[in-house]
Every structure is written in structure tokens, then in C-alpha cells.
């Protein structure tokens, strides 16, 4: 399989139906790897031939759509309370590897990190780059989206867009295995998991989550898990069961 490069839409110039030119950081990446005119290369969803190389741009001829690899059969959205330090980056990279389709960072009452939307947009650029690298590393040919930072109330509204939401709650006595066994898994395509902050959800937040009709309040066992551990454990279980 040819090496895949992910190019942002703003760095692509369409020349005609079968030809396009790219600019930006992937141009340098391709040059460093010593690709030459005539080489077959995977750009976004296409298999292409290099037909011209310049210092700041490369032109390609489209051969065909690339074979799909590593794409999940279910759309899993991860709502993750914003984590401090490198934990957020770790969760993002591993979630991509596990098959998550969308990542939704949010702010709730007990989130330790203090940032506004302006600060987040700077970090989002970094997160998007990590996502691209993770997609390439694990062989995914689809794209993974990280959304803008949400407030807790925005999350509550957004949950209604999914078929079912699994809310990991340390005080729940509902077994995840039992919940899944009572579902018609084949008919469910849009699912989510909701992971709270290091300090847990506030009591009022828990009440709001439990009031949403398509939210399933579930336990992840008798051991208290760190937020990043809970996120990746939940994603692993859901992908195993639904994918």
C-alpha cells in the first residue's frame, strides 16, 4: 500500500477533473521522502501519480479512488472533559487508533484546565495535526474530526443527535454488558461515550445527563479509573461490540 499523505482543503488547487496541485507542509514531507515524478502516491482519498514537482508545490494526476482501510462501521463520538497536561493529547491519539470518528472536548464544573475559546483554537491546530499523524500511523483512510470546545449545556443538547449515549459514572450500578445485550446492535450506527473530568461530574450535571432520554448511565466496574483510562477503555469496549 502506497504511503498516505493528508492535505488540507485550503492547500489544494484543483486544475481540472483529474489534476490538482498541493501546497503546504505535506509538499516538504513528500520531498524529504524522495518521491519523484511518476511515483504513485496516496493523497487524501485518491491514488495519484506525481506529474510535476516544484519547490513549493506538487502536481498530481488522479488514478483512482484509494481502497478504504481501517474505517469503522459505526460512528463513535467521544465527549471528553478537557484534561490537563499531555493527557488530552494522549487520549486524542489513542481514540483515533481505536476508531473514534469525532472527538468533542468540553468544559464542565470540575474541569481543572482554565481556557477560553481563543486559547482552545490554538490548541485545536495542534490536536488536528496529531489526528492526521495518528490516522496515517494506524492506516485509517477516513478523516477524524475534533470539534470546537463545548460547554456542558451544549453537550446536553448535542447528545440528542446520537442514537445512544453511554455515560460512564462511578456511582452507577448498571452493568455495561447488560445494557449492550439488550440492544439491537446492528441497527445502531451513531453512538457516543461521555467521560467526565478528573474530579468527576457535579451532582447537578449528573442529573442533567440522566434526564436525556437516549443516555445510558453505566458502571465501568468497582475500580475508580482515571479519566484517560476510562475514555480509552470505553472506546475499546464500544468498538468491539458495535463495530
Amino acid at each position: 500500500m502506497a504511503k498516505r499523505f493528508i492535505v488540507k482543503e485550503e492547500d489544494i488547487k484543483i486544475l481540472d477533473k483529474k489534476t490538482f496541485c498541493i501546497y503546504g507542509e505535506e509538499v516538504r514531507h513528500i520531498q524529504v521522502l524522495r518521491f519523484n515524478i511518476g511515483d504513485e502516491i496516496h493523497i487524501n482519498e485518491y491514488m495519484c501519480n506525481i506529474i510535476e514537482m516544484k519547490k513549493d508545490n506538487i502536481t498530481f494526476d488522479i488514478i483512482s479512488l484509494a481502497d478504504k482501510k481501517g474505517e469503522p462501521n459505526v460512528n463513535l463520538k467521544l465527549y471528553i472533559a478537557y484534561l490537563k497536561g499531555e493527557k488530552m493529547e494522549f487520549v486524542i491519539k489513542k481514540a483515533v487508533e481505536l476508531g473514534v470518528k469525532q472527538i468533542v472536548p468540553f468544559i464542565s464544573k470540575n474541569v481543572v484546565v482554565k481556557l477560553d475559546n481563543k486559547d482552545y483554537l490554538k490548541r485545536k491546530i495542534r490536536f488536528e495535526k496529531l489526528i492526521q499523524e495518528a490516522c496515517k500511523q494506524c492506516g485509517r483512510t477516513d478523516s477524524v474530526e475534533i470539534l470546537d470546545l463545548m460547554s456542558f449545556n451544549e453537550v446536553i443538547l448535542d447528545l440528542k443527535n446520537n442514537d445512544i449515549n453511554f455515560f460512564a459514572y462511578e456511582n452507577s450500578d448498571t452493568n455495561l454488558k447488560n445494557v449492550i445485550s439488550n440492544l439491537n446492535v446492528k441497527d445502531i450506527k451513531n453512538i457516543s461515550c461521555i467521560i467526565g473530568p478528573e474530579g468527576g461530574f457535579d451532582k447537578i450535571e449528573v442529573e442533567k445527563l440522566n434526564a436525556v432520554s437516549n443516555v445510558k448511565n453505566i458502571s465501568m466496574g468497582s475500580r475508580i479509573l482515571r479519566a484517560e483510562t476510562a475514555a480509552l477503555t470505553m472506546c475499546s469496549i464500544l468498538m468491539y461490540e458495535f463495530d
Side-chain angles (χ1 to χ4, degrees):
M1 181 179 175
K3 185 174 179 63
R4 184 186 186 215
F5 297 87
I6 302 175
V7 183
K8 298 176 183 177
E9 287 188 18
E10 58 264 33
D11 289 334
I12 298 176
K13 181 180 180 181
I14 304 298
L15 302 178
D16 57 46
K17 289 184 179 180
K18 288 194 66 180
T19 311
F20 65 94
C21 183
I22 70 167
Y23 298 81
E25 61 183 26
E26 290 290 52
V27 170
R28 177 60 179 161
H29 191 190
I30 291 168
Q31 292 169 340
V32 166
L33 293 174
R34 299 188 181 278
F35 282 95
N36 294 305
I37 292 173
D39 286 344
E40 187 173 298
I41 194 169
H42 186 177
I43 301 291
N44 294 354
E45 69 268 35
Y46 297 106
M47 294 305 303
C48 312
N49 273 331
I50 299 175
I51 59 175
E52 185 177 34
M53 298 186 73
K54 296 182 178 180
K55 184 177 181 180
D56 64 345
N57 66 78
I58 301 175
T59 303
F60 299 90
D61 183 53
I62 297 174
I63 301 171
S64 65
L65 284 171
D67 293 335
K68 294 183 177 181
K69 301 286 184 181
E71 299 188 17
N73 297 313
V74 64
N75 295 319
L76 173 58
K77 182 184 290 188
L78 169 62
Y79 297 93
I80 178 77
Y82 203 99
L83 304 176
K84 62 183 178 181
E86 297 180 354
K87 294 177 182 179
M88 196 70 195
E89 293 188 1
F90 176 77
V91 168
I92 288 170
K93 289 186 289 186
K94 299 308 174 185
V96 171
E97 291 180 37
L98 290 169
V100 169
K101 188 68 176 175
Q102 285 187 316
I103 302 168
V104 187
F106 67 89
I107 298 295
S108 61
K109 183 175 180 181
N110 292 330
V111 166
V112 176
V113 181
K114 304 300 179 185
L115 76 166
D116 56 23
N117 285 325
K118 185 177 180 180
D119 294 328
Y120 174 72
L121 288 176
K122 295 178 183 177
R123 300 189 188 189
K124 187 181 177 186
I125 294 171
R126 164 73 175 165
F127 295 155
E128 288 173 337
K129 186 173 182 179
L130 291 174
I131 287 171
Q132 288 188 3
E133 292 172 352
C135 281
K136 288 189 267 186
Q137 184 275 321
C138 69
R140 289 183 70 163
T141 54
D142 61 336
S143 58
V144 178
E145 183 182 14
I146 183 162
L147 276 62
D148 290 340
L149 189 67
M150 286 190 183
S151 68
F152 179 79
N153 287 334
E154 287 173 328
V155 168
I156 292 295
L157 294 174
D158 196 63
L159 293 174
K160 298 173 184 177
N161 297 321
N162 307 317
D163 295 331
I164 189 168
N165 307 282
F166 294 92
F167 162 38
Y169 183 44
E170 64 271 18
N171 292 326
S172 175
D173 56 4
T174 303
N175 185 282
L176 175 58
K177 184 186 293 186
N178 293 338
V179 172
I180 293 175
S181 66
N182 290 321
L183 297 173
N184 191 345
V185 172
K186 292 182 179 179
D187 292 338
I188 298 174
K189 293 300 179 184
N190 298 294
I191 62 177
S192 89
C193 57
I194 309 158
I195 306 297
E198 285 110 328
F201 281 113
D202 177 75
K203 182 179 178 181
I204 293 177
E205 293 171 339
V206 172
E207 292 173 355
K208 287 184 177 181
L209 284 166
N210 287 333
V212 180
S213 60
N214 62 346
V215 168
K216 299 292 185 181
N217 178 318
I218 57 91
S219 168
M220 297 189 67
S222 60
R223 293 170 295 279
I224 302 297
L225 304 180
R226 291 180 179 272
E228 62 271 27
T229 307
L232 300 180
T233 301
M234 178 69 83
C235 289
S236 299
I237 293 171
L238 294 180
M239 291 304 296
Y240 177 81
E241 293 288 348
F242 289 87
D243 193 38

